[in-house]
Amino acid sequence: MRLGIVGLPNVGKSTLFNSLTKAGASAENFPFCTIDPNVGVVNVPDSRVDTLGEMYHSKKVTHAVIEFVDIAGLVKGASKGEGLGNQFLANIRETDAIVHVVRCFEDSNVVHVDGSVDPLRDIETIELELIFADLEVIEKRIAKVGKSARIDKSYAAEASLLEKLKALLEDGKSVKTYVPEDEEEEKLLKGLSLLTAKPVIYAANVAEEELAEDGAGNPFLKSVREYAAAEGSEVFTICAKIEAELSDLEDEDRKAFLEDLGLKESGLDKLVRASYSLLGLISFLTCGEDESRAWTIKKGTKAPQAAGKIHTDFERGFIKAEVIAYDELIANGSMNAAKEKGLVRMEGKDYVVGDGDVVLFRFNV
């Protein structure tokens, strides 16, 4: 899963990125790695994988991972070359979703680029810049496809779609409001990798004293939640300052710090939950002496396709899947004990894999 982080300057965007990537790294499993200066890879927190690793004395424990892509803060006029952000917009075109960090706190020591705190205005500023960036892509594509369509009629469907998207963007609307007319349009739309077609998760950056109450009573946060609900987006609250402090602590100290603050989970935990919910993702698990691992799939994925996440041969030669729910496996202490009680099921090609399923795939190639 790849998430692109956007926001105005001074909203806590880079602080969040730096703290999430540092806190989420695990030196022995999947160390934080900087692929380039603004990309970080972190483990998805999942205690189930760690427990299975201990149960099986696994040589290796591998969590699912998230790749975060951070770009310079966008400002009004970015699409026309203002600021630095527009230079990096191409970096987030291949992400699965956009995390939009929005400032929902007052602090005279932290200057707002527009002089005052107004999250809805900030959201509109960023969305307009993304719309302008998409419009530029569409117009370039129209110029190219238009010439091809005059010679080859197979380009007619794309040319038609591009004109519809252009009109939509010129009307100030995002591409995700467009409903494809058929599967061909849906495929063409996906291939364009437009920024405003991506799902959005709003990270509402609130003051430290408001975090334990999840921002209750914060009028800025209330407006963001209402806005997100209207467009079907997710919202979670963070305090970038606290996340930065958490990132410097060891696991046990981090848990104690969260408890002292009256918090049940970190910003990374909240972000993972919001992104999995928005993108319709779940995790299934595999375990053994060599490795215990979490695998991310879409809800509704059938067993052969889930097996294909591990290796294409598994999908091609799929025979059956031995399945048990994680909670049942832990309650019985071992796979053998669960088998003796008849709790391990044999599932075929039509089985839809569920979140937390512990699976052993049988295949023959």
Side-chain angles (χ1 to χ4, degrees), residues 3 6 20 84 100 102 113 115 119 147 149 152 156 167 186-187 207 267 276 286 288 305 313-314 319 343:
L3 302 176
V6 302
L20 288 182
L84 296 170
H100 185 166
V102 186
V113 289
K147 293 176 183 177
D152 186 346
E186 190 173 346
K187 186 178 179 181
Y276 269 59
T286 55
Q305 287 68 51
D313 283 350
F314 283 28
I319 299 173
L343 297 173

Side-chain angles (χ1 to χ4, degrees), residues 125-199:
T125 296
I126 297 294
E127 286 196 342
L128 277 175
E129 295 310 319
L130 298 183
I131 284 172
F132 290 143
D134 278 352
L135 196 52
E136 185 180 345
V137 169
I138 292 291
E139 287 172 343
K140 286 180 180 177
R141 187 66 189 162
I142 285 174
K144 186 175 181 179
V145 171
K147 293 176 183 177
S148 302
R150 287 193 287 272
I151 304 167
D152 186 346
K153 297 300 180 185
S154 65
Y155 285 93
E158 184 178 356
S160 172
L161 174 62
L162 290 169
E163 290 295 342
K164 285 184 278 189
L165 296 178
K166 181 173 182 284
L168 188 74
L169 291 165
E170 287 177 337
D171 198 29
K173 296 176 181 175
S174 64
V175 172
K176 62 175 165 280
T177 63
Y178 181 76
V179 180
E181 293 182 1
D182 51 38
E183 285 186 10
E184 184 179 6
E185 273 202 352
E186 190 173 346
K187 186 178 179 181
L188 288 168
L189 185 57
K190 189 175 181 181
L192 291 168
S193 297
L194 297 171
L195 296 170
T196 64
K198 298 183 185 302

Side-chain angles (χ1 to χ4, degrees), residues 24-267:
S26 176
E28 67 274 14
N29 297 332
F30 197 103
F32 166 69
C33 59
T34 302
I35 298 166
D36 60 45
N38 62 325
V39 178
V41 179
V42 304
N43 286 329
V44 172
D46 191 339
S47 60
R48 299 175 300 187
V49 193
D50 299 313
T51 302
L52 289 175
E54 291 172 6
M55 177 185 284
Y56 282 87
H57 306 290
S58 304
K59 296 173 186 174
K60 186 178 179 183
V61 175
T62 306
H63 288 245
V65 296
I66 297 179
E67 184 176 299
F68 290 105
V69 184
D70 183 35
I71 65 170
L74 294 169
V75 296
K76 194 174 291 183
S79 56
K80 297 180 177 66
E82 295 292 329
L84 296 170
N86 190 52
Q87 299 173 31
F88 304 103
L89 279 174
N91 293 357
I92 61 172
R93 288 203 177 276
E94 300 307 316
T95 57
D96 299 302
I98 288 175
V99 179
H100 185 166
V101 183
V102 186
R103 178 172 168 176
C104 293
F105 67 91
E106 295 272 17
D107 188 340
S108 58
N109 295 317
V110 183
V111 178
H112 192 289
V113 289
D114 289 327
S116 63
V117 178
D118 184 343
L120 294 188
R121 178 199 59 209
D122 296 352
I123 288 172
E124 184 180 326
T125 296
I126 297 294
E127 286 196 342
L128 277 175
E129 295 310 319
L130 298 183
I131 284 172
F132 290 143
D134 278 352
L135 196 52
E136 185 180 345
V137 169
I138 292 291
E139 287 172 343
K140 286 180 180 177
R141 187 66 189 162
I142 285 174
K144 186 175 181 179
V145 171
K147 293 176 183 177
S148 302
R150 287 193 287 272
I151 304 167
D152 186 346
K153 297 300 180 185
S154 65
Y155 285 93
E158 184 178 356
S160 172
L161 174 62
L162 290 169
E163 290 295 342
K164 285 184 278 189
L165 296 178
K166 181 173 182 284
L168 188 74
L169 291 165
E170 287 177 337
D171 198 29
K173 296 176 181 175
S174 64
V175 172
K176 62 175 165 280
T177 63
Y178 181 76
V179 180
E181 293 182 1
D182 51 38
E183 285 186 10
E184 184 179 6
E185 273 202 352
E186 190 173 346
K187 186 178 179 181
L188 288 168
L189 185 57
K190 189 175 181 181
L192 291 168
S193 297
L194 297 171
L195 296 170
T196 64
K198 298 183 185 302
V200 177
I201 304 163
Y202 293 101
N205 193 5
V206 301
E208 182 176 342
E209 61 272 14
E210 295 178 322
L211 197 57
E213 300 298 324
D214 201 28
N218 183 320
F220 298 134
L221 177 58
K222 184 173 183 287
S223 64
V224 172
R225 281 180 167 151
E226 289 172 352
Y227 184 91
E231 68 172 20
S233 297
E234 292 276 343
V235 181
F236 72 99
T237 56
I238 56 152
C239 174
K241 182 181 175 184
I242 287 178
E243 291 302 319
E245 292 177 24
L246 282 168
S247 68
D248 290 326
L249 302 175
E250 297 297 327
D251 284 348
E252 288 304 314
D253 292 334
R254 192 180 301 143
K255 289 177 184 175
F257 186 48
L258 286 170
E259 287 175 5
D260 288 344
L261 293 170
L263 302 174
K264 294 181 179 178
E265 56 187 352
S266 69

Side-chain angles (χ1 to χ4, degrees), residues 275-286:
S275 54
Y276 269 59
S277 172
L278 187 66
L279 296 171
L281 302 174
I282 60 169
S283 293
F284 74 90
L285 311 163
T286 55

